[in-house]
Amino acid sequence: MRQDLIEKARGVLARNDRGHYTVPTHGLYPFQWNWDSALSALGFSHFDEARAWREIETLFQHQWEDGEVPHIIFHEMNDGYFPGPDVWGTGRKIPTSGITQPAVTGFAVRRIHARARNKTMADANARALLPRIHAWHQWFYRNRDPEGTGLVSIIHPWESGRDNSIDWDNALARVPTEGVAPFKRRDVAHANPDHRPTDEEYRRYIWLVQHFRSFGWDNSKLHDASPFRMVDPGFNGILIRSCRDLADLAETLGENEIARESRAFSDRGIAAMETLWSDAYGQYLCLDRVTNELVESPSIGGLLAAFCPIPDHRAKAIASRILEIGKTVQYLVPSHDPAQPQFDGLRYWRGPVWLIVNYMIADGLLNAGQTDIVQRIVTDSIRLIEQSGFAEYYDPNTAEPCGGSSFTWTAAMVIEILKTEAAPA
Ligand code: DGY
């Protein structure tokens, strides 16, 4: 059965493989997405290491001169997606978007390197990627943490990857819609509109894109110019984990200066993460940098922080919190607390389960020794696949497959989970 699932997952990867990059899924997302690629490379690495390295190499070929790695690379024109290159207007020869996405590549590269069968190829690729990933991390702390707090802001909900999370509702309501050029959404032609963000949210997403474009995508200005500045514990947890892993990788490769600075980023970030902890919710919360207030919204962002090496007592508290949530749903981990009135089990990041997040939370909690909850998370993850195939996301109670189908990173996570020590007993 397990081998059968792995073969099916490989079929999904093959279908979405465009040779030097993969699309997340046919139709809905026809280009290369940043964190999709990094996580998908983990799946490839189990059966084709060269292809895994190529995926990440392609992504970093499109890194900007200032260090940013954009969230979409528009390799081939396709008018089935909105917003396309004309809306972003970043002026790149091969067009890209202008915002970024969770920085999970440092983690992925270290993991692929550590277990590589072809050590020579792994060393060569890791050595080439190391300074580029580090430049991206430096870019984050330079441009998105101007006051040196140790935590970075996102300036667009799409940067978090959790596009329509309830976390953003109040802050997004402050983003205007006046002056947004008329547009036609394409996502709702490929996926059920009830599973996707609303039109109102899209108008605000596009206002932000137009606003940043009016600054010529000058990253030294965008943080302060954005009416949406949010410190997401999940986003920061991923960045901190990647900095920590890059430090370890750099040490292995004898790149001591990168190791030193990466470890300093990660140590400072872990200490600063304490400012996001809420005893009332038993988890981390987002900080709205415009109002300087914690956002009272218990989402998966505050659980995903466990991907980085938070203190043991915090990891234990997160494990207990997930255990409690697990009593209210059939499948862990819902992207929002089901006890909250805004929870919606079908709508993208307002309740559904995502396998990539399950994988990252399980990995962090495994490192923290929270093995019972890890077993439940990975068992639920595989049950979802058996029940509903390789969907983009799933209803945490009915397992209804939502969003796109034949999804690359879902398939990659199945291979990764089944082939590693995190596999269900
Ligand atoms: C989308 O188009 O839904 C993406 O999440 C934005 O990157």
Side-chain angles (χ1 to χ4, degrees), residues 28-29 33 71-72 81-83 88 99 101 158 161 163 187 196-197 202 348-349 392:
L28 185 58
Y29 303 119
W33 261 260
H71 101 295
I72 305 176
Y81 179 81
F82 174 85
W88 291 98
I99 58 171
Q101 254 185 342
W158 285 341
D163 302 7
D187 55 316
R196 296 284 306 168
Y202 254 78
Y348 214 29
W349 288 95
E392 188 177 3

Side-chain angles (χ1 to χ4, degrees), residues 109-381:
V109 163
R110 183 194 170 216
R111 180 144 292 184
I112 295 168
H113 178 268
R115 67 183 181 210
R117 294 171 298 279
N118 187 334
K119 295 288 178 204
T120 310
M121 181 165 67
D123 278 354
N125 279 281
R127 214 174 267 292
L129 284 165
L130 195 70
R132 294 149 82 182
I133 299 172
H134 185 52
W136 188 25
H137 295 171
Q138 290 172 315
W139 173 89
F140 269 115
Y141 290 107
R142 190 168 62 244
N143 292 290
R144 299 305 184 78
D145 183 20
E147 291 184 10
T149 66
L151 298 173
V152 301
S153 300
I154 54 162
I155 58 171
H156 192 297
W158 285 341
E159 291 199 312
S160 68
R162 301 188 295 114
D163 302 7
N164 68 339
S165 169
I166 293 158
D167 292 350
W168 322 136
D169 285 359
N170 290 342
L172 198 61
R174 292 196 304 263
V175 172
T177 54
E178 292 77 36
V180 172
F183 60 82
K184 185 168 164 26
R185 288 176 63 178
R186 303 296 170 143
D187 55 316
V188 285
H190 302 290
N192 183 340
D194 292 341
H195 298 175
R196 296 284 306 168
T198 62
D199 285 349
E200 185 61 19
E201 285 163 335
Y202 254 78
R203 276 189 282 279
R204 297 179 200 275
Y205 298 155
I206 298 305
W207 188 92
L208 285 169
V209 172
Q210 291 183 184
H211 185 57
F212 301 149
R213 197 179 62 199
S214 75
F215 286 86
W217 295 104
D218 179 348
N219 276 304
S220 67
K221 302 202 174 111
L222 298 188
H223 177 275
D224 291 354
S226 178
F228 182 94
R229 296 197 296 278
M230 199 61 80
V231 178
D232 172 2
F235 190 94
N236 276 278
I238 292 172
L239 176 59
I240 292 166
R241 174 70 186 270
S242 277
C243 287
R244 175 64 64 99
D245 284 358
L246 207 71
D248 291 347
L249 180 62
E251 260 160 33
T252 309
L253 297 174
E255 296 288 348
N256 296 334
E257 187 47 33
I258 293 182
R260 192 198 54 74
E261 200 182 354
S262 298
R263 205 166 295 287
F265 285 151
S266 121
D267 288 348
R268 215 166 44 122
I270 290 167
M273 196 71 98
E274 275 303 288
T275 61
L276 306 181
W277 181 262
S278 162
D279 278 331
Y281 287 93
Q283 64 165 88
Y284 298 94
L285 298 177
C286 292
L287 172 74
D288 188 327
R289 246 187 202 160
V290 173
T291 63
N292 207 24
E293 284 169 353
L294 288 180
V295 182
E296 300 227 358
S297 171
S299 79
I300 201 157
L303 309 176
L304 178 54
F307 186 47
C308 77
I310 51 174
D312 280 349
H313 68 288
R314 295 293 184 222
K316 194 166 171 220
I318 297 277
S320 312
R321 170 102 178 102
I322 297 174
L323 198 63
E324 283 308 304
I325 292 174
K327 293 180 185 154
T328 70
V329 290
Q330 296 297 318
Y331 303 90
L332 283 172
V333 182
S335 46
H336 204 80
D337 182 345
Q340 298 292 310
Q342 305 97 319
F343 170 85
D344 181 340
L346 296 173
R347 205 180 273 280
Y348 214 29
W349 288 95
R350 299 177 79 87
V353 178
W354 292 72
L355 246 68
I356 45 138
V357 182
N358 277 10
Y359 167 73
M360 288 187 275
I361 292 176
D363 188 82
L365 290 179
L366 191 66
N367 289 340
Q370 299 296 328
T371 47
D372 289 352
I373 195 68
V374 170
Q375 272 304 315
R376 165 92 196 259
I377 294 171
V378 294
T379 302
D380 286 5
S381 302

Side-chain angles (χ1 to χ4, degrees), residues 49-124:
E49 289 179 351
R51 181 64 190 79
W53 290 116
R54 185 133 200 245
E55 185 77 24
I56 297 176
E57 166 58 24
T58 303
L59 180 65
F60 275 78
Q61 271 170 15
H62 300 273
Q63 182 170 30
W64 288 16
E65 289 65 28
D66 68 356
E68 178 175 16
V69 183
H71 101 295
I72 305 176
I73 322 294
F74 297 100
H75 290 284
E76 284 176 14
M77 288 313 101
N78 185 315
D79 58 12
Y81 179 81
F82 174 85
D86 51 326
V87 181
W88 291 98
T90 54
R92 315 273 313 170
K93 193 157 167 239
I94 293 184
T96 72
S97 68
I99 58 171
T100 192
Q101 254 185 342
V104 72
T105 309
F107 157 78
V109 163
R110 183 194 170 216
R111 180 144 292 184
I112 295 168
H113 178 268
R115 67 183 181 210
R117 294 171 298 279
N118 187 334
K119 295 288 178 204
T120 310
M121 181 165 67
D123 278 354

Side-chain angles (χ1 to χ4, degrees), residues 4-33:
D4 181 43
L5 276 189
I6 290 172
E7 289 310 317
K8 282 188 183 150
R10 283 186 62 167
V12 172
L13 262 53
R15 195 168 324 144
N16 295 332
D17 188 353
R18 299 293 177 268
H20 57 304
Y21 68 98
T22 46
V23 296
T25 185
H26 176 77
L28 185 58
Y29 303 119
F31 312 108
Q32 183 177 25
W33 261 260

